[in-house]
Amino acid sequence: SLASPSSLQGSELHGWRPPVDCVRANELCAAESNCSSRYRTLRQCLAGRDRNTMLANKECQAALEVLQESPLYDCRCKRGMKKELQCLQIYWSIHLGLTEGEEFYEASPYEPITSRLSDIFRLASIFSGTGADPAMSVKSNHCLDAAKACNLNENCKRLRSAYISTCNREVSNFERCNRRKCHKALRQFFDRVPSEYTYRMLFCSCRDQACAERRRQTILPICSYEDKEKPNCLELRNMCRADHLCRSRLADFHANCRASYQTMTSCPSDNYQACLGSYAGMIGFDMTPNYVDSNPTSIVVSPWCSCRGSGNMEEECEKFLKDFTENPCLRNAIQAFGNGTDVNVSP
Amino acid sequence: ALGLYFSRDTYSEKLYVDEPAGTPLLYVHALQDTRGEVPHFHLGQHLYSTYRSQSHKNDWFQINEDTGLLYLNQSLDQRALEKLSARNGGFPLRTIYLQVFLSPKPFQEHECHWPSCAKVMLFIINATMPACSSLKPREFCFLETGLSFRIKENKPPGTFHQFRLLPVQHLCPNISISYQFHRDEDLPFHSDKDTMEVSMKHSLDREQKEKYELIAKCTVRDGLREEDVMAPFPVTVYDEDDSPPSFPTGINTASAIVEYKRKEGTVLAVLQVFDADVVPSSGEIQRKYTHTMLTSDPWVTEFFRVEHYPNETSYTSNGSRVRAMMHVYKLVLNRSLPITESRSFQLEVLVNDTDFQGPRGALLLYFNVSILPVSIRFPNNTYYFSVNRNAHRYAQIGKVCIENCKEFHGVNVTYRLQSPSTNCTALGIITTPESTTGTLFVNDSSVLQRSECTEMQYTVVASDRQSKKQAKTLLIISIEGNYFPEEEGCPISCAVNKKRLECEECGGLGSLMGTCQWTFGDGKGISKNFSTCTPSLKTCPDGNCDAVESRDLHICPQDCIRGEIIGGHERGEWKGIKAGYGVCNCFPEEKKCFCEPDDDKEPLCDEVCRMVI
């Protein structure tokens, strides 16, 4: 290893430190001639070559080793940060060369979410002014309440009507709407409106079909979700991975919602908030998930794809799809949000 | 290619801190592609942690090259664990994995993908091994992660699983554990009572059965206590291309007649090809399932193409569902065909399942194509229409249409008018290409008002742009009624009027009789039947901005507006008001429409209130 003994010891002693974001790490690297030249070399190595041919090259190998010790190696991005796309481009420019080809689960380029659902409940009760647990009132339609609450907030109302009108505008007999614009408007809504509002609309709990139908309609699925044909899920994943933002959001979903049998809630670190956040983070991309029907109690979400035509990859396809449709972590997180409960985890 | 393959793509086991060196962890199994192949197992050089790339050189684990037994060659202690955690990017270290390769010598590390590489996941439990007495029966038998196996069809049978959990058994040798299948009559698998190994009795055929949903039963005996634990044991049979394509109902020929529908993209005929294989999969099917039009005639390849749509289907074999593929081949017009074209031919299309190794991997599809010429002619000898003397400019008088005009697709017919005299010619004609019709409209309303004009005569000429073929017919229009001068101060557009009274007092562009017409809505909220003032109930508002209306926004802004619509409404697909609330009136000059109830009292409903609450 090229690291000095002191720096290695330091990281072992202090354990994990919050990483710098990749835009900043890129600046730091650019300021140092050794790092910046190695980074340029690596980018050239990665362009158009697979990992093995790249690693066979001495110069590429050396560049990789130097960069593993630079701030670029551990850098992360923040959701909705300024220059998010640039940050992710820097992240993947290094990590696509480091990971083993096409991994089933990829590392998330985003910083871990440390806040908890209970933080949202506290805020939500301040907003509603009652302080009452939303699950207490039996008769009310929570999804309707969520829409009302959004309309009472200028920012939420503005961005919501923006995506509703964009996603509702028919283009022609053959094209129901401009999907690209609809997705963009949805991303803006989920990126810029606080999760107190957006989660309430997306994850409200329901007792009847009308409520569940409203919940299903939240993202205007006829435009943003449904399509003429259902692609194969693995092909949809390939499409998503071709786009840095979609790839990152999917990796983040896998990092935060992937079911674990090692925790009580089935969620990684028992963090519901992180799972819900990365679920909402996929809305407005190729992998946009939604409720598959308006069943009030059994919650099944899925991207718009199926495992038909998988050939010998059916098992892998089912495994990918089940992370949405039969994921106990995601299901528990959605239900916990609807019930207004969170797990008590000692900090 | 490497013949041997792993029976799973991921193996897993629990790993406690401070387990002693020499602890056996698990067996990996390789199955043969051809008889006589001998596996050599190798570990990848590195230990990986979830989501992180290269994490550490593997100093702790070893594999027996011949048996596939993975074991600890050095105890993984707290210090080693800390060392690994420090390079895990801030995530708690819960799982590490190794790569096991399967290859002949010399060994070369490459990317880890099934079938020649498998991952071994080790779930790290940050505690020392528990006492045997504290373990539940299930923990002696199965892991929480579940089992699943992959067996390729048509390959030699072999051993593919070892039931025993080696670390538990190593720690608690006194507890007796045995395994068997819950119901194993006539299954192609065998579990050996002594070795606790599972093997195949014979090679498998996916086209017979592709999933075996077995239940493994584990019996734990501890002294006198005995307990059974069940676990699902699914085996998936992997496909190879061992079935040739065939015709599902024996039909290999389809006929196509091209007559009026000659437009590019028209589907002329469809044939289906069945293939019991599900490989190649959808990602590579277009590359490996090829089709070629067997023709040396460049004209055929210019005007026709074959489109291939693979579709997964399934059939039942011995009571279980087996997936298969149905390939749909469509003969499609590649270009619009000229109306003069007349010929018949047979087109052969070669479909080739290129992965299939036997004979009969290719099939011939036959398309019998007949192209009939179509002629352009008018059905009547003469068209008679009448027009009111008070009609305004753009009033639609009638439509002319060649024989079978509704059937035509992809033929460019245009209509024009010829007049023998220059007196009394007030009409224009516009061709609507989608319906191949011509619409007659008033182009000069001042001519109608001249009392000497009582009749107009024209020759209508329909011509095909491509072939220059023409058809002609006579058109006689009588001018009826008396001329009444219009009231002072009437607007140009009928749509401006908001009340019935002012609507029916005046005329506007497009009005047939000199006055506008009022239409009553149904008053049911935002409705397609909204109240509005229109030049002609027949054409406006009908949700379609037709060829005449699109000449001038004043004629029917209700169908043609692209600008702002204020009030409760639903927009049309391209333009216009699809549905409105109450009365809709428009101001074409400002490119604005208003939809609001007559009494002006209720508040306006915006986009959000329409959609959601």
Side-chain angles (χ1 to χ4, degrees), chain A residues 300-316:
Chain A
V300 181
V301 295
S302 166
W304 187 256
C305 66
S306 82
C307 283
R308 285 167 60 87
S310 298
N312 277 337
M313 305 279 276
E314 197 182 41
E315 207 183 342
E316 187 172 356

CSV table of all heavy atoms in Angstrom, one decimal, chain A residues 300-316:
chain,number,residue,atom,x,y,z
A,300,VAL,N,-48.6,-3.6,-2.3
A,300,VAL,CA,-47.6,-4.2,-3.2
A,300,VAL,C,-47.2,-3.0,-4.1
A,300,VAL,O,-48.0,-2.4,-4.8
A,300,VAL,CB,-48.2,-5.3,-4.0
A,300,VAL,CG1,-47.1,-5.9,-5.0
A,300,VAL,CG2,-48.7,-6.4,-3.2
A,301,VAL,N,-45.9,-2.8,-4.1
A,301,VAL,CA,-45.3,-1.8,-5.0
A,301,VAL,C,-44.4,-2.5,-6.0
A,301,VAL,O,-43.8,-3.5,-5.7
A,301,VAL,CB,-44.6,-0.6,-4.3
A,301,VAL,CG1,-45.5,0.2,-3.4
A,301,VAL,CG2,-43.4,-1.2,-3.5
A,302,SER,N,-44.2,-1.9,-7.2
A,302,SER,CA,-43.4,-2.5,-8.2
A,302,SER,C,-43.0,-1.4,-9.2
A,302,SER,O,-43.8,-0.5,-9.5
A,302,SER,CB,-44.2,-3.6,-8.9
A,302,SER,OG,-43.5,-4.0,-10.1
A,303,PRO,N,-41.9,-1.6,-9.9
A,303,PRO,CA,-41.6,-0.8,-11.1
A,303,PRO,C,-42.5,-1.3,-12.2
A,303,PRO,O,-43.0,-2.4,-12.1
A,303,PRO,CB,-40.1,-0.9,-11.4
A,303,PRO,CG,-39.7,-2.0,-10.5
A,303,PRO,CD,-40.7,-2.4,-9.6
A,304,TRP,N,-42.6,-0.6,-13.3
A,304,TRP,CA,-43.4,-1.1,-14.5
A,304,TRP,C,-42.6,-2.1,-15.3
A,304,TRP,O,-41.9,-1.7,-16.3
A,304,TRP,CB,-43.8,0.1,-15.3
A,304,TRP,CG,-44.8,-0.3,-16.4
A,304,TRP,CD1,-44.6,-0.4,-17.7
A,304,TRP,CD2,-46.2,-0.6,-16.2
A,304,TRP,NE1,-45.7,-0.7,-18.4
A,304,TRP,CE2,-46.7,-0.8,-17.5
A,304,TRP,CE3,-47.1,-0.6,-15.1
A,304,TRP,CZ2,-48.1,-1.2,-17.7
A,304,TRP,CZ3,-48.4,-0.9,-15.3
A,304,TRP,CH2,-48.9,-1.2,-16.6
A,305,CYS,N,-42.5,-3.3,-14.8
A,305,CYS,CA,-41.8,-4.3,-15.6
A,305,CYS,C,-42.2,-5.7,-15.1
A,305,CYS,O,-42.9,-5.8,-14.1
A,305,CYS,CB,-40.3,-4.2,-15.3
A,305,CYS,SG,-39.7,-4.5,-13.6
A,306,SER,N,-41.9,-6.7,-15.9
A,306,SER,CA,-42.2,-8.1,-15.5
A,306,SER,C,-41.0,-9.0,-15.8
A,306,SER,O,-40.1,-8.6,-16.4
A,306,SER,CB,-43.4,-8.6,-16.2
A,306,SER,OG,-43.1,-9.0,-17.5
A,307,CYS,N,-41.1,-10.2,-15.3
A,307,CYS,CA,-40.0,-11.1,-15.6
A,307,CYS,C,-40.3,-12.0,-16.8
A,307,CYS,O,-39.6,-13.0,-17.0
A,307,CYS,CB,-39.7,-11.9,-14.3
A,307,CYS,SG,-38.8,-10.9,-13.1
A,308,ARG,N,-41.3,-11.7,-17.6
A,308,ARG,CA,-41.5,-12.4,-18.8
A,308,ARG,C,-40.3,-12.2,-19.7
A,308,ARG,O,-39.8,-11.1,-19.8
A,308,ARG,CB,-42.8,-12.0,-19.5
A,308,ARG,CG,-44.0,-12.5,-18.8
A,308,ARG,CD,-45.2,-11.7,-19.4
A,308,ARG,NE,-45.4,-11.9,-20.8
A,308,ARG,CZ,-46.0,-13.0,-21.4
A,308,ARG,NH1,-46.6,-13.8,-20.6
A,308,ARG,NH2,-46.1,-13.1,-22.7
A,309,GLY,N,-39.9,-13.3,-20.4
A,309,GLY,CA,-38.8,-13.2,-21.4
A,309,GLY,C,-37.4,-13.1,-20.7
A,309,GLY,O,-36.5,-12.7,-21.3
A,310,SER,N,-37.3,-13.6,-19.5
A,310,SER,CA,-36.0,-13.6,-18.8
A,310,SER,C,-35.1,-14.8,-19.2
A,310,SER,O,-33.9,-14.7,-18.9
A,310,SER,CB,-36.2,-13.7,-17.3
A,310,SER,OG,-36.9,-12.6,-16.8
A,311,GLY,N,-35.7,-15.8,-19.8
A,311,GLY,CA,-34.8,-16.9,-20.2
A,311,GLY,C,-34.2,-17.6,-19.0
A,311,GLY,O,-35.0,-17.8,-18.0
A,312,ASN,N,-32.9,-17.8,-19.0
A,312,ASN,CA,-32.3,-18.4,-17.8
A,312,ASN,C,-32.0,-17.4,-16.7
A,312,ASN,O,-31.6,-17.8,-15.6
A,312,ASN,CB,-31.0,-19.0,-18.3
A,312,ASN,CG,-31.1,-20.4,-18.8
A,312,ASN,OD1,-32.1,-21.1,-18.6
A,312,ASN,ND2,-30.2,-20.9,-19.7
A,313,MET,N,-32.4,-16.2,-16.9
A,313,MET,CA,-32.2,-15.2,-15.9
A,313,MET,C,-33.4,-15.0,-15.0
A,313,MET,O,-33.5,-14.0,-14.3
A,313,MET,CB,-31.7,-13.8,-16.5
A,313,MET,CG,-30.5,-13.9,-17.4
A,313,MET,SD,-29.0,-13.9,-16.4
A,313,MET,CE,-28.8,-12.2,-16.2
A,314,GLU,N,-34.4,-15.9,-15.1
A,314,GLU,CA,-35.6,-15.7,-14.4
A,314,GLU,C,-35.5,-15.5,-12.9
A,314,GLU,O,-36.1,-14.7,-12.3
A,314,GLU,CB,-36.6,-16.8,-14.7
A,314,GLU,CG,-38.1,-16.3,-14.3
A,314,GLU,CD,-39.1,-17.4,-14.6
A,314,GLU,OE1,-38.9,-18.6,-14.3
A,314,GLU,OE2,-40.2,-17.0,-15.0
A,315,GLU,N,-34.6,-16.4,-12.4
A,315,GLU,CA,-34.3,-16.3,-10.9
A,315,GLU,C,-33.8,-15.0,-10.5
A,315,GLU,O,-34.2,-14.4,-9.5
A,315,GLU,CB,-33.3,-17.4,-10.6
A,315,GLU,CG,-33.4,-18.0,-9.2
A,315,GLU,CD,-32.3,-19.0,-9.0
A,315,GLU,OE1,-31.7,-19.5,-10.0
A,315,GLU,OE2,-32.0,-19.3,-7.8
A,316,GLU,N,-32.8,-14.5,-11.3
A,316,GLU,CA,-32.2,-13.2,-11.0
A,316,GLU,C,-33.3,-12.1,-11.1
A,316,GLU,O,-33.4,-11.1,-10.3
A,316,GLU,CB,-31.0,-12.9,-11.9
A,316,GLU,CG,-30.3,-11.7,-11.5
A,316,GLU,CD,-29.0,-11.5,-12.2
A,316,GLU,OE1,-28.6,-12.4,-13.0
A,316,GLU,OE2,-28.3,-10.4,-12.0
